[in-house]
Amino acid sequence: MLISGNNLVIFASQGIYTYDLSDPKNPKKTWDFKYESNSYLAGARLYGGKMYIVLKNNINSYAPCPIKPLTVNGAEFSIRCDEIYYPNRVINTDTTFTSLKVDPGTGKIENKITFVGNSGDSVIYMSPTSLYITYTYQQNYLKFILGFFKTSAGNVVPQNVISRLEKIDTYDISQSAKEVELQNIWSNFMNSLSDDDRMKVQNDLTNKMADYYKVHFKELESTGIAKIDVDSFVVKAQGEVAGHPLNQFSLDEYNDYLRIATTIGGRWYGYLWGVEIPTQKTANDVYILDKSLVLKGAVTDLGQEGESIFGVRFIQDKGYVVTFRQTDPFYVLDLSNPNKPSKAGELKIPGYSGYLHPINKDKIIGVGQEERKVKISLFDVSNPSDPKEISKYNLSDWYSEATNNHHAFLMDEKHKVFFMPGSNGGYIFSYDNDKFELKKAVSKIYPKRAVYIEDFMYIIADQQIVVINETNWQKEKELEIK
């Protein structure tokens, strides 16, 4: 839900519905958007009294356009072929993204932009001047395989077979047809071998692939980035980085530079014609791109092999990244020079932090797990080269939604407390004097969210609302929801 003035906007599975709450006892529906069957919501933001809605549509290869993502108050809304933006470079495309600038009071679509992308994971991030939309996709693995045969398999596979494989890439046929042809040539070669020779080739190639993959695995997965200017509502730039971002906190704009943290690898596994691809290798990078989304600098290979990013936050010219497999490396990055970013400091502690929430530029709260229990950490980053965990608290709960959903975390700066749900109930912690203190535990409910009004905190569960007085931390009232 979003609230703009007296307008309540509800995002449901079938569409978007808005109600006028001028008279709270008599809310009135004012407008609605209904999604079409091949359309779904990628994200939404409210800024400057306007809503920015991003929709994804699977491309119909038989009738790709006009695109009809939704109806507006029952009337069809469509986008012509000549209104669809596409980049100059060739990318894997199976999806269109449509971003709408909407007046929340009337439902009027004030502007729109549609561009081609991919159906992989999408992250939406918005700065005061730009709307960023990302989409992750697998790169052309055919080129990856051909590069492997050309550079690494010469003493295992006959040169005439490699030449035939390389020639496929010059054919004016579809990517899927090239892959079928590649499979046929390889199958014919393998079938020509004796059982002993086939076993030898498979084992030799598996070992060579392990070495090749270590050098080239970052070529397999990319994230495309579209930058939409908020005022003109046109695509100002498109860029690309290796890997996939974790969530919206993986992107941040600062002084006209975009910082994005990604993990490469660890998302697909398998064999290629009997040759094992060692996809357990991962890398964690932070890239800095200029206003044209041209790469200017990077901090690469954070963490150990097999680790991925579990938490990330950017604050002014610093970046904070948590990777995890067995321990929690908490990295502090110096991003003050976009052309030469660097790792300033590192802290290794047990467990991990899945969500990082800044108190100020020097103190950060981390919510995560340690030994399968919920753990909260307070990090002091005032000295970037020597970050410290100055306080921590381990709950008996095995899970908190705040670990991977920032909406479940609530901070009240007036009382220097924060709320977070657990698997056993709700918890209110003080962070005053750089030390965690559990002020209130609310049991026998399964809370989802909380909100505070003046000195009262309202903890909302599926069937209850519990009111806590923040002046004495006593339960003030409880309401059963039927």
Side-chain angles (χ1 to χ4, degrees), residues 48 55 73 124 157 172-173 228 262 271 274 279 334 409 446 476-477:
L55 301 170
N73 293 324
I124 312 299
V157 180
D172 187 16
I173 57 177
I228 299 173
T262 65
Y271 289 77
T279 53
D334 183 351
F409 183 95
Y446 297 99
E476 194 78 17
K477 193 80 172 179

Short mmCIF file of all heavy atoms in Angstrom, two decimals, residues 48 55 73 124 157 172-173 228 262 271 274 279 334 409 446 476-477:
data_model
loop_
_atom_site.label_atom_id
_atom_site.label_comp_id
_atom_site.label_asym_id
_atom_site.label_seq_id
_atom_site.Cartn_x
_atom_site.Cartn_y
_atom_site.Cartn_z
N GLY A 48 7.46 12.89 -4.60
CA GLY A 48 7.01 14.20 -5.05
C GLY A 48 5.54 14.25 -5.40
O GLY A 48 5.14 14.99 -6.31
N LEU A 55 5.89 -2.15 -14.69
CA LEU A 55 5.25 -3.41 -15.07
C LEU A 55 6.16 -4.21 -15.99
O LEU A 55 6.93 -3.64 -16.78
CB LEU A 55 3.92 -3.15 -15.79
CG LEU A 55 2.86 -2.35 -15.02
CD1 LEU A 55 1.72 -1.98 -15.96
CD2 LEU A 55 2.35 -3.15 -13.84
N ASN A 73 -9.51 1.95 -15.48
CA ASN A 73 -10.96 2.12 -15.24
C ASN A 73 -11.78 1.42 -16.33
O ASN A 73 -12.79 1.94 -16.82
CB ASN A 73 -11.32 3.60 -15.18
CG ASN A 73 -10.73 4.30 -13.98
OD1 ASN A 73 -10.64 3.71 -12.90
ND2 ASN A 73 -10.32 5.55 -14.14
N ILE A 124 14.22 -2.50 -8.53
CA ILE A 124 13.83 -1.11 -8.80
C ILE A 124 14.48 -0.21 -7.75
O ILE A 124 14.36 -0.46 -6.55
CB ILE A 124 12.30 -0.93 -8.74
CG1 ILE A 124 11.58 -2.01 -9.57
CG2 ILE A 124 11.91 0.47 -9.20
CD1 ILE A 124 11.91 -2.01 -11.02
N VAL A 157 40.47 -32.27 -28.24
CA VAL A 157 39.50 -32.38 -29.34
C VAL A 157 40.21 -32.05 -30.65
O VAL A 157 40.94 -31.06 -30.73
CB VAL A 157 38.32 -31.42 -29.11
CG1 VAL A 157 37.31 -31.52 -30.25
CG2 VAL A 157 37.65 -31.72 -27.78
N ASP A 172 23.74 -17.40 -40.15
CA ASP A 172 22.64 -16.45 -39.96
C ASP A 172 21.37 -17.21 -39.57
O ASP A 172 20.40 -17.28 -40.34
CB ASP A 172 22.42 -15.64 -41.24
CG ASP A 172 21.40 -14.53 -41.05
OD1 ASP A 172 21.12 -14.19 -39.88
OD2 ASP A 172 20.88 -14.01 -42.05
N ILE A 173 21.43 -17.81 -38.39
CA ILE A 173 20.29 -18.55 -37.86
C ILE A 173 20.09 -18.14 -36.41
O ILE A 173 20.92 -17.44 -35.82
CB ILE A 173 20.51 -20.09 -37.95
CG1 ILE A 173 21.81 -20.49 -37.22
CG2 ILE A 173 20.55 -20.53 -39.41
CD1 ILE A 173 22.06 -22.01 -37.21
N ILE A 228 16.03 6.01 -16.18
CA ILE A 228 14.96 6.85 -16.69
C ILE A 228 14.99 8.18 -15.97
O ILE A 228 14.98 8.22 -14.73
CB ILE A 228 13.59 6.16 -16.50
CG1 ILE A 228 13.56 4.84 -17.28
CG2 ILE A 228 12.46 7.07 -16.94
CD1 ILE A 228 12.32 4.01 -17.00
N THR A 262 27.04 -6.64 -6.74
CA THR A 262 26.50 -7.86 -7.35
C THR A 262 27.28 -9.08 -6.91
O THR A 262 28.44 -9.00 -6.51
CB THR A 262 26.56 -7.79 -8.89
OG1 THR A 262 27.93 -7.75 -9.32
CG2 THR A 262 25.82 -6.58 -9.43
N TYR A 271 25.97 -30.07 -16.16
CA TYR A 271 26.96 -30.65 -17.04
C TYR A 271 26.68 -30.18 -18.46
O TYR A 271 25.54 -29.88 -18.82
CB TYR A 271 26.88 -32.18 -17.00
CG TYR A 271 27.37 -32.78 -15.70
CD1 TYR A 271 26.59 -32.75 -14.56
CD2 TYR A 271 28.63 -33.38 -15.62
CE1 TYR A 271 27.03 -33.30 -13.37
CE2 TYR A 271 29.07 -33.93 -14.43
CZ TYR A 271 28.27 -33.88 -13.31
OH TYR A 271 28.72 -34.43 -12.14
N GLY A 274 28.35 -34.04 -20.70
CA GLY A 274 29.22 -34.89 -19.90
C GLY A 274 30.38 -34.16 -19.27
O GLY A 274 31.12 -34.74 -18.48
N THR A 279 30.24 -24.66 -11.19
CA THR A 279 29.55 -23.40 -10.96
C THR A 279 29.45 -22.99 -9.50
O THR A 279 28.76 -22.04 -9.17
CB THR A 279 28.13 -23.47 -11.56
OG1 THR A 279 27.46 -24.63 -11.05
CG2 THR A 279 28.18 -23.55 -13.07
N ASP A 334 35.80 2.30 0.59
CA ASP A 334 36.01 3.73 0.38
C ASP A 334 35.69 4.02 -1.08
O ASP A 334 36.40 3.60 -1.99
CB ASP A 334 37.47 4.08 0.69
CG ASP A 334 37.74 5.58 0.54
OD1 ASP A 334 36.85 6.30 0.03
OD2 ASP A 334 38.84 6.02 0.91
N PHE A 409 11.23 -3.95 9.52
CA PHE A 409 12.08 -3.28 10.50
C PHE A 409 11.59 -1.84 10.66
O PHE A 409 11.35 -1.14 9.69
CB PHE A 409 13.53 -3.29 10.01
CG PHE A 409 14.52 -2.70 10.98
CD1 PHE A 409 15.22 -3.51 11.85
CD2 PHE A 409 14.76 -1.34 11.00
CE1 PHE A 409 16.15 -2.98 12.74
CE2 PHE A 409 15.68 -0.79 11.87
CZ PHE A 409 16.37 -1.62 12.75
N TYR A 446 2.07 -13.26 16.21
CA TYR A 446 3.00 -13.40 15.10
C TYR A 446 2.99 -12.09 14.31
O TYR A 446 2.28 -11.94 13.32
CB TYR A 446 2.63 -14.58 14.21
CG TYR A 446 2.70 -15.89 14.96
CD1 TYR A 446 1.56 -16.48 15.49
CD2 TYR A 446 3.92 -16.51 15.18
CE1 TYR A 446 1.63 -17.67 16.21
CE2 TYR A 446 4.01 -17.70 15.89
CZ TYR A 446 2.86 -18.27 16.40
OH TYR A 446 2.95 -19.44 17.12
N GLU A 476 -0.59 -1.12 26.44
CA GLU A 476 -1.65 -0.17 26.69
C GLU A 476 -3.01 -0.73 26.29
O GLU A 476 -4.02 -0.52 26.96
CB GLU A 476 -1.40 1.12 25.90
CG GLU A 476 -2.23 2.30 26.32
CD GLU A 476 -1.72 2.95 27.59
OE1 GLU A 476 -0.54 2.71 27.98
OE2 GLU A 476 -2.49 3.71 28.20
N LYS A 477 -3.07 -1.45 25.18
CA LYS A 477 -4.32 -1.92 24.64
C LYS A 477 -4.05 -3.06 23.67
O LYS A 477 -2.98 -3.15 23.09
CB LYS A 477 -5.05 -0.79 23.90
CG LYS A 477 -6.49 -1.06 23.54
CD LYS A 477 -7.45 -0.86 24.70
CE LYS A 477 -8.88 -0.95 24.26
NZ LYS A 477 -9.84 -0.79 25.36
#
